[in-house]
Amino acid sequence: MTPNPPGATQAIDAASVDAAIQSRLSARAFLPTPVSRDTLEHILQVAARAPSGTNTQPWKVYVLQGPSRDRLVDKVCAAHDALRADPSLADQYREAYDYYPTQWVSPYIDRRRENGWGLYGLLGIGKGDKDKMHAQHQRNFRFFDAPVGLMFTIDKIMGRGSLVDYGMFLQNIMIAARAQGLHTCPQAAWNGFARIILPHIGAGESEMLVCGMALGHADPDDKVNGFITPRESVASFTHWLG
């Protein structure tokens, strides 16, 4: 089926668009099945139609597969272990921007707690089980075994509005991946290890890490991929003005 050209008034198959969006989830277990470069290039080409202020297109993408992926996994997992052993190292691993608020308030803290309790409860990880929590958190730094890791950077000179643009680009990647039968997991967990990641991927000194992403074929037999987060109703977040 030929896709609609830019500017077309309606998608050819609106139900498929809805299905791609509604079936997206943050997969936390992947199969080792490889993803071809052609497929990845197609996803990125589609995603690049994301809007951006004055068409600045502020995204830069680094694709990690094979040895480059594995080396980064080893480096960051080692740093993550070292940080646990010596919390004073935290000053070396600071995020370049605040992804989360410095002070949590309702309803956001309530949703965060519900998410954590739901995920860790499914995995059988109790509140005080620090070893299992550490191991599960480190799954992030193994890309949840996905064969493809993506790192996204932005030039530091760009304003906060460009992060809004970036979010639309990232969402496009995730939806375009669903159209190819693939799943993803966007990951801000990597951000604190930017000092390791940026040199590894060859990013310039002017670049800031935005986030990482795991991409591949989700493991349908792993129970963690049955964890579906709830969403608020339209009525709860919408104000109709007439």
Side-chain angles (χ1 to χ4, degrees):
M1 180 179 294
T2 303
N4 289 63
T9 57
Q10 184 176 354
I12 291 174
D13 186 355
S16 292
V17 176
D18 290 353
I21 295 171
Q22 292 172 336
S23 67
R24 187 214 65 80
L25 58 85
S26 293
R28 293 179 174 87
F30 289 85
L31 299 172
T33 310
V35 180
S36 72
R37 177 166 177 163
D38 285 347
T39 298
L40 294 170
E41 288 186 348
H42 175 78
I43 290 170
L44 293 171
Q45 184 177 35
V46 170
R49 290 303 310 172
S52 58
T54 62
N55 200 33
T56 49
Q57 305 174 67
W59 36 81
K60 294 184 180 181
V61 185
Y62 296 85
V63 182
L64 295 113
Q65 297 174 281
S68 65
R69 172 206 173 280
D70 296 345
R71 287 195 301 271
L72 181 63
V73 165
D74 290 343
K75 290 177 185 178
V76 176
C77 284
H80 184 235
D81 287 339
L83 183 57
R84 184 193 184 193
D86 183 2
S88 69
L89 296 175
D91 287 340
Q92 299 180 27
Y93 302 110
R94 297 293 183 188
E95 298 178 346
Y97 68 96
D98 294 330
Y99 186 86
Y100 292 113
T102 55
Q103 181 177 354
W104 287 93
V105 298
S106 291
Y108 314 111
I109 185 60
D110 307 307
R111 296 170 187 166
R112 177 181 173 87
R113 285 170 176 162
E114 180 185 25
N115 185 75
W117 291 334
L119 176 60
Y120 285 118
L122 177 68
L123 297 173
I125 301 175
K127 186 176 180 179
D129 198 335
K130 295 183 179 179
D131 289 341
K132 287 185 178 179
M133 286 185 177
H134 178 78
Q136 180 59 33
H137 191 212
Q138 193 167 103
R139 294 278 296 145
N140 278 281
F141 309 128
R142 300 183 186 280
F143 292 107
F144 299 107
D145 298 328
V148 180
L150 303 172
M151 289 293 163
F152 302 95
T153 72
I154 190 171
D155 281 322
K156 296 175 184 176
I157 198 171
M158 302 303 286
R160 287 189 294 178
S162 290
L163 290 177
V164 176
D165 301 338
Y166 224 118
M168 293 184 278
F169 173 66
L170 294 170
Q171 176 74 352
N172 271 7
I173 290 175
M174 292 184 278
I175 300 309
R178 289 299 302 121
Q180 300 297 317
L182 301 168
H183 272 291
T184 55
C185 186
Q187 301 170 280
W190 293 96
N191 291 4
F193 295 98
R195 62 179 294 173
I196 297 172
I197 297 164
L198 294 175
H200 180 89
I201 62 178
E205 293 184 1
S206 66
E207 294 175 56
M208 178 183 80
L209 184 66
V210 175
C211 68
M213 183 182 291
L215 184 150
H217 295 269
D219 184 348
D221 297 323
D222 195 306
K223 63 183 178 181
V224 75
N225 287 334
F227 179 64
I228 307 298
T229 52
R231 290 296 184 270
E232 297 296 312
S233 68
V234 172
S236 73
F237 60 75
T238 306
H239 300 272
W240 300 94
L241 307 175

